[in-house]
Amino acid sequence: MTSLNRRSLIAAAAFGAGAGALPIHRARAQAANTIRIGVLNDQSGLYRDVNGPGSVACVRQAIADFGAAAKGINVEVLVADHQNRPDVGVNISRQWIDRDGVDLIIDVPTSSVALAVAGVVREKNKAYINSSGATSDLTGSACSPNTVHWTYDTYMLAKSTGGAMVRAGGDTWFFITADYAFGHALERDTSAFIRAAGGRVLGSVRTPFPGTTDFSSFLVQAQASRAKVVGLANAGGDTINSIKQAAEFGLTRRGVKLAALLMFISDVHALGLATAQGLVCTETFYWDLNDRTRAFTQRVLPSMPQGLRPGMAQAGCYSGVLHYLKAVADLGVAAAKASGTDTVARMKAMPADDDAFGPGSIRADGRKLHPAYLLEVKAPGESRGAWDYYKPLQTTAADEAFRPLSEGGCALVRS
C-alpha cells in the first residue's frame, strides 16, 4: 500500500469514527457547518523548513485567531506531503475534494505542483490559496477564478532583488537555475529586468530537480563566464548548498556577487551569519519587522517546529486562511462550500488586514498585494540575539511590488 493510500485510509477512518459517535441529525448538521482546509506541502524534503509543519502551525493559529468555534464554524485541517511531485499533488487534491470534502487547499510549494493543483481546484470549483509556489504564471497565463496567489512571486523577486543588484553595478549575470517551472520563471523574469536596465546575461545552467547536492560543476561554469553576479534561481536546500559551496570555492573572495533570488529566513539560519552575511534578498514578511509581526510570531512560536521562526511562506498560510475564514463568515458556510469561485470573489471584494502582512487587497487576477522588503543579512557582530538576521534596505509599496495588472495576460482581466 502506498503512503498516500495509507494517509487517505487513516483520514477516512478518523472522520468515520467521529461521525459515528453522534446522532445522525447532529452529524449531518456538523458536516454542513464544517469547513475543511487541506495543507498541501513538502513535509519531508528540500522545503520542509520553508513550509512543512510550520505552515500547519500557522494555519491552526489563523483558525484560533479568527475565533471559528465562537462564531459557530467548525474547521478541520488535513495535511499531506506532495513530495514536490505534480502527480502526487494532483492525486491528493482529487481525493481530498472528492472523498474528504475539502473546501480550501493552501500552501503548495514547487511551481510545477502549484500549477497542476490549480487546474484540479478550478475543475472542482473549490478555493485555492497558494502561499509558496513562486511562478508568476499563477496570476498570468494560468490565472483562475478559484486561485489567490498570496505571498510572493517570481516577478516581484526579480524586480526587487534583481533590480537592486543591477543598480549596484552587477550588470553581467550567470544563472544557476533549478530545472522546473519555478526556476525557469525566476530566470526569465530576472533576465527581463537585467536587460531593461542595460545589463547582460552571459549564460545559465539548469540543475536537476529534485536531488542535486553537488553544485561544483555548475559553479565552475559560472566562474568561467566572468559574470559579476551569479543568480541563484533556486530555493530551500538547493539555495543553501549553492551558497555553501560557492563560499568553499572562494567565488565571493574573488569579487563575484551572489544573488539569492529566493531566500527564506530558515535558509539564513541553516547557513549561519558567518556564511550568509551580506547576502541581499527580498521577503514580504519578517518576524521582527514591527510590533504586529512580533505579536503574531509570539502567538505561533510555541507551535513552530524546533524553535523555528515563521518565514514568509508560512506566514502567508496564516494570513491567507484568516482572510478566507472572514469571507466564509461573510458569505455563509453553505454558500462557501458550494462554490470556491464565489468564495474567492468575496475575498477579492474584502480588504485584507492581519498581523503578519498588515493592510492589503486582492486584485482581479488573484494577486494578493502587500509591500515587499529588500533585506540584507547581518554580519555576526551586528546581530543582537536569536534570529536577528536581517536589516531592511528598502520597501516597495504594495501597488508597485508586483507585476502591473495589464501586463500579466490573465483572462480574468478585462482589457
Side-chain angles (χ1 to χ4, degrees):
M1 181 183 294
T2 67
S3 60
L4 174 59
N5 287 336
R6 284 198 297 272
R7 285 195 299 268
S8 301
L9 289 173
I10 291 169
F15 290 136
L22 295 171
I24 292 175
H25 69 279
R26 284 185 59 197
R28 287 175 177 170
Q30 179 173 317
N33 205 42
T34 295
I35 290 293
R36 291 196 172 107
I37 298 173
V39 184
L40 182 59
N41 64 21
D42 182 350
Q43 291 281 315
S44 57
L46 283 173
Y47 305 142
R48 174 185 166 84
D49 288 347
V50 173
N51 310 106
S55 290
V56 179
C58 288
V59 166
R60 295 191 184 280
Q61 188 64 51
I63 296 166
D65 286 358
F66 175 70
K71 294 180 172 66
I73 301 174
N74 184 43
V75 183
E76 295 178 354
V77 178
L78 286 74
V79 180
D81 186 344
H82 63 38
Q83 302 169 42
N84 297 308
R85 291 173 48 190
D87 59 330
V88 174
V90 165
N91 288 339
I92 293 171
S93 300
R94 289 191 182 279
Q95 289 184 15
W96 270 355
I97 294 170
D98 292 343
R99 186 200 60 209
D100 299 328
V102 164
D103 304 294
L104 168 71
I105 295 179
I106 181 87
D107 205 7
V108 197
T110 312
S111 291
S112 53
V113 185
L115 291 165
V117 170
V120 174
V121 174
R122 184 170 190 171
E123 173 193 338
K124 301 294 184 179
N125 194 20
K126 295 300 180 180
Y128 177 37
I129 300 174
N130 187 284
S131 180
S132 302
T135 177
S136 57
D137 292 344
L138 281 169
T139 55
S141 59
C143 72
S144 162
N146 300 80
T147 296
V148 179
H149 199 185
W150 202 269
T151 308
Y152 61 95
D153 63 31
T154 53
Y155 181 97
M156 180 275 291
L157 296 167
K159 180 179 181 179
S160 180
T161 306
M165 296 293 285
V166 175
R167 289 192 299 273
D171 56 0
T172 55
W173 285 61
F174 186 96
F175 286 95
I176 295 177
T177 301
D179 193 11
Y180 71 107
F182 152 67
H184 302 168
L186 188 50
E187 180 184 331
R188 176 198 68 201
D189 291 346
T190 307
S191 296
F193 279 104
I194 293 167
R195 294 185 178 110
R200 291 182 296 145
V201 177
L202 302 183
S204 67
V205 62
R206 302 284 172 86
T207 64
F209 177 87
T212 304
T213 56
D214 184 0
F215 287 84
S216 57
S217 64
F218 310 122
L219 291 165
V220 168
Q221 293 180 61
Q223 181 177 324
S225 75
R226 298 185 180 276
K228 296 178 182 177
V229 180
V230 175
L232 302 177
N234 52 25
D238 283 351
T239 301
I240 293 168
N241 287 331
S242 298
I243 294 171
K244 283 182 176 179
Q245 290 171 33
E248 292 167 2
F249 267 65
L251 256 67
T252 53
R253 290 197 302 273
R254 298 186 184 98
V256 177
K257 298 292 186 182
L258 295 180
L261 295 169
L262 177 56
M263 192 164 71
F264 299 89
I265 195 168
S266 55
D267 301 333
V268 177
H269 186 70
L271 286 164
L273 292 183
T275 300
Q277 61 181 309
L279 285 170
V280 174
C281 64
T282 298
E283 300 216 39
T284 52
F285 165 86
Y286 173 42
W287 74 270
D288 201 22
L289 187 67
N290 55 49
D291 288 344
R292 294 187 74 180
T293 58
R294 287 187 285 271
F296 157 67
T297 299
Q298 286 304 309
R299 292 197 301 275
V300 77
L301 193 56
S303 303
M304 290 293 293
Q306 301 172 343
L308 292 174
R309 298 298 192 275
M312 66 171 169
Q314 295 158 337
C317 290
Y318 167 83
S319 178
V321 166
L322 187 61
H323 192 65
Y324 168 80
L325 290 174
K326 292 175 182 178
V328 169
D330 191 54
L331 192 62
V333 172
K337 292 178 70 66
S339 174
T341 301
D342 289 348
T343 310
V344 169
R346 188 59 59 95
M347 291 173 68
K348 292 177 180 177
M350 301 169 62
D353 191 15
D354 60 81
D355 282 350
F357 290 84
S361 61
I362 303 171
R363 292 191 317 204
D365 60 352
R367 176 67 262 166
K368 167 64 166 46
L369 301 179
H370 41 245
Y373 307 99
L374 186 69
L375 307 164
E376 182 179 329
V377 179
K378 292 182 174 182
E382 296 175 302
S383 178
R384 298 166 299 174
W387 293 86
D388 177 27
Y389 291 160
Y390 288 143
K391 51 186 176 185
L393 298 180
Q394 67 183 46
T395 299
T396 305
D399 59 350
E400 298 178 0
F402 295 92
R403 180 177 56 202
L405 186 62
S406 60
E407 296 179 9
C410 173
L412 303 175
V413 179
R414 296 176 181 176
S415 58

